[in-house]
Amino acid sequence: MQEHKIIQGTPEWHEFRSRHLNASDAPAMMGESPYKTRDELLREKSTGVAADVSEETQRRFDAGHRFEALARPLAEKIIGEELYPVTGSSDRFSASFDGMTMLGDVIFEHKTLNAALAAIAPDDQLPLHYRIQMEHQLLVSGAEKCLFMASKWDGGDQLIESRHWWYFPDLLLRESIVFGWKQLEKDAASYAPPEVRPEAVGRA
């Protein structure tokens, strides 16, 4: 994996993402994302124009980044090593890791704890869209496993609740992800934006 010294959220980071196939987009590419459809991702990849982020969505992103930073020490205790956030790539594939060990053998993925995640038992399988993102991250990093943590905090730094699961490579899922990206790039090469017809206005 090649590491890139860019900060998440900066113009340089967005430009980097526009040139790569990103882990956070992999669930949408597979048609499994609850936040973005495959058609929306296809349009973004074809036109280079991403949808505007609403104020509510931005607030959710900001809270998620804050929770992630607060949760990283908890993850370090579970893993037994320090973690550092990093952006990496392998060929066209890229990922922005919430944390990675110095040896690169373990990665960390954090989400805000919601009702759906809170209902999952420690030994149960995580929903597919999370597994797709982590499998893509393992593909990029070459790591052996991923610690998936979901946490929720109050307005300060007081932990309300946290859950964690271990995720290990699934080579069949990885094969589907690689094939899915190839198909999306094919579709993007021949993409034609849908024609927008002006709405007919009646005249009295």
Side-chain angles (χ1 to χ4, degrees):
M1 182 188 82
Q2 180 181 357
E3 293 187 16
H4 301 270
K5 297 186 182 300
I6 49 179
I7 300 172
Q8 292 188 32
T10 62
E12 293 78 12
W13 181 75
H14 286 292
E15 193 275 333
F16 169 83
R17 281 176 54 84
S18 71
R19 295 184 284 104
H20 290 82
L21 307 174
N22 308 296
S24 58
D25 287 329
M29 175 275 296
M30 297 283 284
E32 296 292 342
S33 171
Y35 309 110
K36 182 188 293 185
T37 67
R38 186 181 187 274
D39 285 345
E40 289 171 336
L41 177 63
L42 178 60
R43 183 169 62 249
E44 288 181 12
K45 288 295 183 184
S46 304
T47 64
V49 179
D52 291 335
V53 177
S54 67
E55 289 185 10
E56 181 182 350
T57 300
Q58 188 60 54
R59 282 195 295 271
R60 180 166 57 83
F61 287 163
D62 293 342
H65 290 316
R66 187 173 73 86
F67 293 169
E68 171 198 321
L70 289 169
R72 193 172 292 113
L74 302 180
E76 290 174 337
K77 286 183 179 179
I78 295 170
I79 295 171
E81 293 185 54
E82 289 187 8
L83 296 167
Y84 66 103
V86 61
T87 297
S89 66
S90 177
D91 291 329
R92 291 291 312 285
F93 301 112
S94 76
S96 297
F97 302 94
D98 295 339
M100 177 183 287
T101 58
M102 290 298 294
L103 291 178
D105 55 341
V106 182
I107 58 175
F108 167 56
E109 175 62 25
H110 180 270
K111 301 293 182 187
T112 300
L113 184 65
N114 56 30
L117 285 169
I120 301 173
D123 295 330
D124 285 350
Q125 192 167 238
L126 289 161
L128 181 56
H129 61 282
Y130 295 127
R131 288 184 278 128
I132 290 172
Q133 181 178 358
M134 289 185 288
E135 191 62 46
H136 185 118
Q137 291 174 334
L138 292 176
L139 166 64
V140 172
S141 64
E144 298 172 0
K145 57 185 177 179
C146 177
L147 176 65
F148 181 95
M149 178 178 286
S151 70
K152 189 173 183 179
W153 304 73
D154 64 8
D157 58 359
Q158 185 65 41
L159 177 65
I160 296 174
E161 186 179 1
S162 72
R163 301 284 184 90
H164 73 271
W165 297 260
W166 283 103
Y167 177 81
F168 297 90
D170 180 341
L171 297 185
L172 286 177
L173 179 58
R174 185 175 302 190
E175 186 178 335
S176 298
I177 292 169
V178 172
F179 175 81
W181 277 122
K182 287 181 180 178
Q183 186 60 52
L184 188 103
E185 289 194 296
K186 267 189 188 177
D187 294 344
S190 59
Y191 177 80
E195 183 181 355
V196 179
R197 295 174 178 269
E199 184 178 349
V201 179
R203 184 184 299 273

